[in-house]
Short mmCIF file of all heavy atoms in Angstrom, two decimals:
data_model
loop_
_atom_site.label_atom_id
_atom_site.label_comp_id
_atom_site.label_asym_id
_atom_site.label_seq_id
_atom_site.Cartn_x
_atom_site.Cartn_y
_atom_site.Cartn_z
N ARG A 1 101.06 87.19 175.84
CA ARG A 1 100.91 88.58 175.40
C ARG A 1 101.24 88.70 173.91
O ARG A 1 100.60 89.47 173.17
CB ARG A 1 101.80 89.50 176.25
CG ARG A 1 101.30 89.66 177.68
CD ARG A 1 102.02 90.77 178.40
NE ARG A 1 103.35 90.38 178.84
CZ ARG A 1 103.61 89.78 180.01
NH1 ARG A 1 102.62 89.51 180.84
NH2 ARG A 1 104.84 89.48 180.35
N GLN A 2 102.24 87.93 173.46
CA GLN A 2 102.58 87.95 172.03
C GLN A 2 101.42 87.40 171.20
O GLN A 2 101.11 87.93 170.13
CB GLN A 2 103.84 87.13 171.78
CG GLN A 2 104.29 87.18 170.32
CD GLN A 2 105.31 86.12 169.99
OE1 GLN A 2 105.07 84.93 170.19
NE2 GLN A 2 106.46 86.54 169.49
N VAL A 3 100.79 86.33 171.69
CA VAL A 3 99.65 85.77 170.96
C VAL A 3 98.52 86.79 170.86
O VAL A 3 97.86 86.91 169.83
CB VAL A 3 99.16 84.47 171.66
CG1 VAL A 3 97.83 84.01 171.07
CG2 VAL A 3 100.21 83.37 171.51
N ARG A 4 98.29 87.56 171.92
CA ARG A 4 97.27 88.61 171.88
C ARG A 4 97.62 89.65 170.81
O ARG A 4 96.75 90.11 170.07
CB ARG A 4 97.15 89.29 173.24
CG ARG A 4 96.52 88.44 174.32
CD ARG A 4 96.39 89.19 175.62
NE ARG A 4 95.42 90.28 175.52
CZ ARG A 4 95.15 91.12 176.50
NH1 ARG A 4 95.77 91.01 177.66
NH2 ARG A 4 94.27 92.07 176.34
N ARG A 5 98.90 90.03 170.75
CA ARG A 5 99.31 91.00 169.73
C ARG A 5 99.13 90.42 168.33
O ARG A 5 98.70 91.12 167.41
CB ARG A 5 100.76 91.42 169.95
CG ARG A 5 100.98 92.28 171.19
CD ARG A 5 102.34 92.91 171.19
NE ARG A 5 103.41 91.93 171.29
CZ ARG A 5 103.93 91.49 172.44
NH1 ARG A 5 103.45 91.94 173.59
NH2 ARG A 5 104.91 90.61 172.43
N LEU A 6 99.47 89.13 168.17
CA LEU A 6 99.28 88.49 166.87
C LEU A 6 97.80 88.44 166.50
O LEU A 6 97.44 88.58 165.33
CB LEU A 6 99.88 87.09 166.88
CG LEU A 6 101.40 86.99 166.80
CD1 LEU A 6 101.85 85.55 166.98
CD2 LEU A 6 101.90 87.53 165.45
N SER A 7 96.95 88.20 167.50
CA SER A 7 95.51 88.19 167.23
C SER A 7 95.04 89.55 166.74
O SER A 7 94.24 89.64 165.80
CB SER A 7 94.74 87.79 168.50
OG SER A 7 95.05 86.48 168.90
N THR A 8 95.54 90.61 167.36
CA THR A 8 95.18 91.95 166.92
C THR A 8 95.67 92.20 165.50
O THR A 8 94.95 92.76 164.67
CB THR A 8 95.80 93.00 167.88
OG1 THR A 8 95.32 92.75 169.21
CG2 THR A 8 95.40 94.40 167.47
N ARG A 9 96.92 91.77 165.22
CA ARG A 9 97.46 91.94 163.87
C ARG A 9 96.63 91.15 162.86
O ARG A 9 96.37 91.63 161.75
CB ARG A 9 98.91 91.47 163.81
CG ARG A 9 99.55 91.69 162.43
CD ARG A 9 100.81 90.88 162.25
NE ARG A 9 101.82 91.19 163.23
CZ ARG A 9 103.00 90.55 163.27
NH1 ARG A 9 103.26 89.57 162.41
NH2 ARG A 9 103.89 90.89 164.17
N LEU A 10 96.20 89.95 163.26
CA LEU A 10 95.39 89.13 162.36
C LEU A 10 94.09 89.84 162.01
O LEU A 10 93.68 89.86 160.84
CB LEU A 10 95.10 87.79 163.04
CG LEU A 10 94.14 86.84 162.34
CD1 LEU A 10 94.66 86.47 160.96
CD2 LEU A 10 93.93 85.58 163.18
N VAL A 11 93.45 90.44 163.00
CA VAL A 11 92.21 91.17 162.74
C VAL A 11 92.45 92.33 161.79
O VAL A 11 91.70 92.55 160.83
CB VAL A 11 91.61 91.68 164.07
CG1 VAL A 11 90.41 92.58 163.79
CG2 VAL A 11 91.17 90.52 164.94
N LEU A 12 93.51 93.10 162.03
CA LEU A 12 93.81 94.26 161.17
C LEU A 12 94.09 93.82 159.74
O LEU A 12 93.59 94.43 158.78
CB LEU A 12 95.00 95.03 161.75
CG LEU A 12 94.76 95.74 163.08
CD1 LEU A 12 96.04 96.39 163.58
CD2 LEU A 12 93.66 96.80 162.94
N LEU A 13 94.90 92.77 159.58
CA LEU A 13 95.20 92.30 158.23
C LEU A 13 93.95 91.78 157.53
O LEU A 13 93.77 91.99 156.33
CB LEU A 13 96.27 91.19 158.30
CG LEU A 13 97.68 91.64 158.70
CD1 LEU A 13 98.59 90.43 158.89
CD2 LEU A 13 98.27 92.58 157.65
N PHE A 14 93.10 91.09 158.28
CA PHE A 14 91.86 90.58 157.70
C PHE A 14 90.97 91.75 157.27
O PHE A 14 90.39 91.72 156.17
CB PHE A 14 91.14 89.71 158.72
CG PHE A 14 89.83 89.17 158.24
CD1 PHE A 14 89.77 88.19 157.27
CD2 PHE A 14 88.63 89.65 158.76
CE1 PHE A 14 88.56 87.69 156.83
CE2 PHE A 14 87.41 89.16 158.32
CZ PHE A 14 87.38 88.18 157.36
N VAL A 15 90.87 92.77 158.11
CA VAL A 15 90.05 93.94 157.75
C VAL A 15 90.60 94.61 156.51
O VAL A 15 89.85 95.00 155.60
CB VAL A 15 89.99 94.93 158.94
CG1 VAL A 15 89.37 96.25 158.50
CG2 VAL A 15 89.19 94.33 160.09
N LEU A 16 91.93 94.75 156.44
CA LEU A 16 92.53 95.37 155.25
C LEU A 16 92.24 94.53 154.00
O LEU A 16 91.96 95.08 152.93
CB LEU A 16 94.04 95.52 155.45
CG LEU A 16 94.49 96.59 156.45
CD1 LEU A 16 96.01 96.55 156.63
CD2 LEU A 16 94.06 97.98 155.96
N ALA A 17 92.34 93.20 154.14
CA ALA A 17 92.05 92.33 153.00
C ALA A 17 90.60 92.48 152.56
O ALA A 17 90.30 92.57 151.35
CB ALA A 17 92.34 90.87 153.37
N VAL A 18 89.69 92.56 153.52
CA VAL A 18 88.27 92.71 153.18
C VAL A 18 88.03 94.06 152.50
O VAL A 18 87.28 94.16 151.52
CB VAL A 18 87.40 92.56 154.44
CG1 VAL A 18 85.95 92.94 154.14
CG2 VAL A 18 87.46 91.13 154.96
N VAL A 19 88.67 95.12 153.01
CA VAL A 19 88.52 96.44 152.39
C VAL A 19 88.99 96.40 150.95
O VAL A 19 88.33 96.93 150.04
CB VAL A 19 89.29 97.50 153.20
CG1 VAL A 19 89.36 98.81 152.42
CG2 VAL A 19 88.63 97.73 154.55
N GLY A 20 90.15 95.78 150.71
CA GLY A 20 90.65 95.68 149.34
C GLY A 20 89.71 94.92 148.44
O GLY A 20 89.46 95.31 147.29
N ILE A 21 89.16 93.83 148.94
CA ILE A 21 88.22 93.03 148.15
C ILE A 21 86.96 93.84 147.84
O ILE A 21 86.44 93.82 146.71
CB ILE A 21 87.88 91.73 148.91
CG1 ILE A 21 89.10 90.82 148.96
CG2 ILE A 21 86.70 91.02 148.27
CD1 ILE A 21 88.92 89.63 149.87
N VAL A 22 86.46 94.55 148.83
CA VAL A 22 85.25 95.36 148.64
C VAL A 22 85.48 96.41 147.56
O VAL A 22 84.62 96.66 146.70
CB VAL A 22 84.82 96.02 149.97
CG1 VAL A 22 83.78 97.10 149.72
CG2 VAL A 22 84.27 94.97 150.92
N VAL A 23 86.65 97.03 147.58
CA VAL A 23 86.97 98.04 146.57
C VAL A 23 86.96 97.42 145.17
O VAL A 23 86.38 97.97 144.22
CB VAL A 23 88.33 98.70 146.86
CG1 VAL A 23 88.78 99.55 145.68
CG2 VAL A 23 88.25 99.55 148.13
N VAL A 24 87.61 96.25 145.02
CA VAL A 24 87.66 95.58 143.71
C VAL A 24 86.26 95.22 143.23
O VAL A 24 85.90 95.46 142.07
CB VAL A 24 88.55 94.32 143.80
CG1 VAL A 24 88.43 93.50 142.51
CG2 VAL A 24 89.99 94.71 144.03
N VAL A 25 85.44 94.66 144.11
CA VAL A 25 84.09 94.24 143.72
C VAL A 25 83.24 95.46 143.36
O VAL A 25 82.47 95.44 142.39
CB VAL A 25 83.43 93.43 144.84
CG1 VAL A 25 81.98 93.10 144.49
CG2 VAL A 25 84.21 92.14 145.09
N ASN A 26 83.38 96.55 144.10
CA ASN A 26 82.61 97.76 143.79
C ASN A 26 83.00 98.34 142.44
O ASN A 26 82.13 98.74 141.65
CB ASN A 26 82.82 98.80 144.89
CG ASN A 26 81.79 98.70 146.00
OD1 ASN A 26 80.59 98.84 145.76
ND2 ASN A 26 82.24 98.42 147.21
N LEU A 27 84.29 98.38 142.15
CA LEU A 27 84.73 98.90 140.85
C LEU A 27 84.18 98.04 139.72
O LEU A 27 83.73 98.56 138.69
CB LEU A 27 86.26 98.94 140.80
CG LEU A 27 86.94 100.00 141.68
CD1 LEU A 27 88.46 99.85 141.61
CD2 LEU A 27 86.53 101.41 141.25
N ALA A 28 84.19 96.73 139.92
CA ALA A 28 83.65 95.84 138.89
C ALA A 28 82.15 96.04 138.72
O ALA A 28 81.63 96.04 137.59
CB ALA A 28 83.96 94.39 139.26
N ALA A 29 81.43 96.20 139.82
CA ALA A 29 79.98 96.40 139.73
C ALA A 29 79.65 97.70 139.03
O ALA A 29 78.72 97.77 138.20
CB ALA A 29 79.39 96.39 141.14
N ILE A 30 80.41 98.75 139.34
CA ILE A 30 80.17 100.05 138.68
C ILE A 30 80.41 99.94 137.19
O ILE A 30 79.63 100.44 136.37
CB ILE A 30 81.09 101.13 139.30
CG1 ILE A 30 80.67 101.41 140.75
CG2 ILE A 30 81.07 102.41 138.47
CD1 ILE A 30 81.63 102.30 141.50
N PHE A 31 81.47 99.23 136.82
CA PHE A 31 81.77 99.06 135.40
C PHE A 31 80.72 98.17 134.73
O PHE A 31 80.25 98.46 133.61
CB PHE A 31 83.17 98.45 135.24
CG PHE A 31 83.54 98.13 133.83
CD1 PHE A 31 83.91 99.14 132.94
CD2 PHE A 31 83.51 96.82 133.36
CE1 PHE A 31 84.24 98.84 131.63
CE2 PHE A 31 83.83 96.51 132.06
CZ PHE A 31 84.20 97.53 131.18
N ALA A 32 80.34 97.06 135.39
CA ALA A 32 79.42 96.10 134.79
C ALA A 32 78.04 96.71 134.54
O ALA A 32 77.39 96.41 133.53
CB ALA A 32 79.29 94.87 135.68
N PHE A 33 77.60 97.58 135.43
CA PHE A 33 76.26 98.16 135.31
C PHE A 33 76.29 99.59 134.77
O PHE A 33 75.30 100.31 134.88
CB PHE A 33 75.56 98.12 136.66
CG PHE A 33 75.27 96.72 137.15
CD1 PHE A 33 76.05 96.14 138.13
CD2 PHE A 33 74.23 95.98 136.60
CE1 PHE A 33 75.80 94.86 138.58
CE2 PHE A 33 73.97 94.69 137.05
CZ PHE A 33 74.76 94.12 138.03
N ASN A 34 77.44 99.99 134.23
CA ASN A 34 77.57 101.33 133.65
C ASN A 34 77.08 102.41 134.61
O ASN A 34 76.33 103.32 134.23
CB ASN A 34 76.78 101.42 132.33
CG ASN A 34 77.34 100.48 131.28
OD1 ASN A 34 78.57 100.39 131.12
ND2 ASN A 34 76.47 99.79 130.57
N ALA A 35 77.50 102.28 135.85
CA ALA A 35 76.98 103.18 136.88
C ALA A 35 77.87 104.39 137.12
O ALA A 35 77.54 105.24 137.95
CB ALA A 35 76.80 102.42 138.19
N ALA A 36 79.01 104.48 136.41
CA ALA A 36 79.93 105.58 136.66
C ALA A 36 79.29 106.93 136.38
O ALA A 36 79.57 107.93 137.04
CB ALA A 36 81.20 105.40 135.83
N SER A 37 78.42 106.96 135.36
CA SER A 37 77.79 108.23 134.99
C SER A 37 76.37 108.35 135.56
O SER A 37 75.62 109.24 135.16
CB SER A 37 77.73 108.36 133.46
OG SER A 37 77.03 107.26 132.90
N ALA A 38 76.01 107.44 136.45
CA ALA A 38 74.66 107.45 137.01
C ALA A 38 74.51 108.57 138.02
O ALA A 38 75.48 109.23 138.42
CB ALA A 38 74.36 106.10 137.64
N ASP A 39 73.28 108.77 138.43
CA ASP A 39 72.98 109.75 139.46
C ASP A 39 73.77 109.41 140.73
O ASP A 39 73.88 108.24 141.10
CB ASP A 39 71.47 109.71 139.75
CG ASP A 39 71.10 110.66 140.88
OD1 ASP A 39 70.94 111.86 140.60
OD2 ASP A 39 70.99 110.18 142.03
N PRO A 40 74.35 110.40 141.42
CA PRO A 40 75.15 110.13 142.63
C PRO A 40 74.39 109.30 143.66
O PRO A 40 74.98 108.45 144.34
CB PRO A 40 75.48 111.53 143.16
CG PRO A 40 75.45 112.39 141.94
CD PRO A 40 74.39 111.84 141.06
N GLY A 41 73.10 109.55 143.78
CA GLY A 41 72.32 108.77 144.74
C GLY A 41 72.26 107.31 144.35
O GLY A 41 72.38 106.42 145.20
N GLN A 42 72.04 107.05 143.05
CA GLN A 42 72.00 105.67 142.59
C GLN A 42 73.36 104.99 142.74
O GLN A 42 73.46 103.82 143.12
CB GLN A 42 71.55 105.63 141.13
CG GLN A 42 70.11 106.06 140.90
CD GLN A 42 69.74 106.04 139.43
OE1 GLN A 42 70.60 106.23 138.55
NE2 GLN A 42 68.46 105.81 139.14
N LEU A 43 74.43 105.76 142.44
CA LEU A 43 75.78 105.22 142.57
C LEU A 43 76.08 104.85 144.04
O LEU A 43 76.62 103.78 144.32
CB LEU A 43 76.81 106.24 142.08
CG LEU A 43 78.29 105.82 142.17
CD1 LEU A 43 78.54 104.57 141.35
CD2 LEU A 43 79.20 106.97 141.71
N ALA A 44 75.69 105.75 144.94
CA ALA A 44 75.91 105.47 146.36
C ALA A 44 75.11 104.25 146.81
O ALA A 44 75.59 103.43 147.60
CB ALA A 44 75.52 106.70 147.19
N GLY A 45 73.89 104.13 146.30
CA GLY A 45 73.08 102.97 146.65
C GLY A 45 73.69 101.68 146.17
O GLY A 45 73.69 100.67 146.89
N LEU A 46 74.23 101.70 144.92
CA LEU A 46 74.87 100.50 144.38
C LEU A 46 76.09 100.13 145.21
O LEU A 46 76.28 98.96 145.57
CB LEU A 46 75.27 100.75 142.93
CG LEU A 46 76.06 99.61 142.25
CD1 LEU A 46 75.19 98.34 142.16
CD2 LEU A 46 76.55 100.03 140.87
N VAL A 47 76.91 101.14 145.52
CA VAL A 47 78.13 100.88 146.31
C VAL A 47 77.76 100.32 147.68
O VAL A 47 78.37 99.37 148.17
CB VAL A 47 78.97 102.17 146.45
CG1 VAL A 47 80.08 101.98 147.48
CG2 VAL A 47 79.54 102.57 145.10
#
């Protein structure tokens, strides 16, 4: 049962790590392509 709980924790931590990475990559892409001032639709598409 402890291993099952650890497996669940592993999934949650992995998801959090992926979310953090996605945020960093998106911010870099927005900056690299000067998309901060772009049309909201284009910005959403890039993200």
Side-chain angles (χ1 to χ4, degrees):
R1 289 192 283 272
Q2 183 195 56
V3 170
R4 289 182 67 182
R5 290 193 295 270
L6 284 174
S7 296
T8 302
R9 183 197 301 178
L10 173 60
V11 173
L12 292 176
L13 290 173
F14 178 71
V15 170
L16 288 175
V18 171
V19 169
I21 291 171
V22 167
V23 169
V24 171
V25 175
N26 269 299
L27 290 176
I30 292 172
F31 176 76
F33 294 103
N34 296 317
S37 58
D39 177 82
Q42 293 178 331
L43 179 60
L46 176 64
V47 169

